Every structure is written in C-alpha cells, then in structure tokens.
C-alpha cells in the first residue's frame, strides 16, 4: 500500500484547486463552507471524510468553549450536508 500525505490549508482555495483526496480529516474545527467544498470538490469518489467537532445539544449548558451555537454542529447537520438534494454525488453516512 502506498500512502502519500499532504498538509494543506483547506480554507485557502488556491491551494486546493488541483487537490483530490481519498481521506480528509479534521478535528475541533467547524467551517461549514469548507465542509461543503470538501464534499463537492476535494473528496475523491469513494473517499472517506472524518470530522470531529462540537455538537449543540438541547437543554445543555456549556462548561467550556465553544460557547456560541454557530460554532457547533446541529444534531444531524453533517448527515444533512452530505445527503442534501443539492449534491451531485451520493454519500453513505456511517455516524453523525
């Protein structure tokens, strides 16, 4: 198995114009436009997307950041992003 790793600032579109990745992963970072860009342009067919960030739950109190709701995913938001009618590709969401 050959593995090639790249580290790029995915928020800089000029650095991703030619990028197609079989695996995209992110941790503790929420940038909704970037996630849609990864879905539509960067992630290869049969690619794997792994993202770990904060989720807003009803009736909970944050004891630590992020405190702003806009910095947290809503329940099922990733699932909705990857299964939206606006996407031209089909994705299987294993866990949301």
């Amino acid at each position: 198995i050959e593995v090639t790793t790249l580290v790029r600032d995915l928020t800089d579109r000029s650095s991703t114009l030619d990028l197609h990745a079989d695996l995209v992963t992110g941790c503790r970072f929420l940038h909704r436009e970037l996630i849609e860009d990864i879905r539509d342009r960067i992630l290869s067919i049969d690619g794997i997307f792994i993202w770990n960030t904060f989720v807003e739950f009803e009736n909970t109190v944050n004891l630590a950041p992020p405190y702003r709701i806009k910095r947290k995913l809503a329940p099922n938001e990733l699932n909705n992003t990857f299964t939206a009618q606006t996407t031209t590709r089909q994705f299987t969401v294993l866990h949301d």
Side-chain angles (χ1 to χ4, degrees), residues 5-38:
T5 61
L6 297 171
V7 176
R8 293 204 187 171
D9 178 0
L10 298 181
T11 61
D12 177 7
R13 276 196 116 207
S14 66
S15 74
T16 65
L17 292 176
D18 62 342
L19 180 62
H20 297 284
D22 295 324
L23 172 66
V24 177
T25 183
C27 185
R28 299 184 70 154
F29 180 72
L30 179 59
H31 189 298
R32 287 173 174 87
E33 292 174 1
L34 172 62
I35 291 173
E36 291 174 0
D37 204 28
I38 291 168

Side-chain angles (χ1 to χ4, degrees), residues 5 10 24 27 34 41 52-53 65 73 75-76 81 87:
T5 61
L10 298 181
V24 177
C27 185
L34 172 62
R41 274 188 336 102
N52 180 1
T53 192
L73 287 170
N76 296 315
T81 299
T87 110

Side-chain angles (χ1 to χ4, degrees), residues 54-95:
F54 300 94
V55 176
E56 175 67 24
F57 292 103
E58 290 185 41
N59 303 320
T60 60
V61 176
N62 279 9
L63 301 176
Y67 297 107
R68 296 183 197 158
I69 291 175
K70 71 179 184 176
R71 293 189 177 173
K72 295 184 267 183
L73 287 170
N76 296 315
E77 184 175 348
L78 273 182
N79 183 44
N80 294 339
T81 299
F82 277 85
T83 60
Q85 296 296 326
T86 57
T87 110
T88 58
R89 294 168 46 194
Q90 184 175 359
F91 294 91
T92 301
V93 176
L94 300 178
H95 184 70

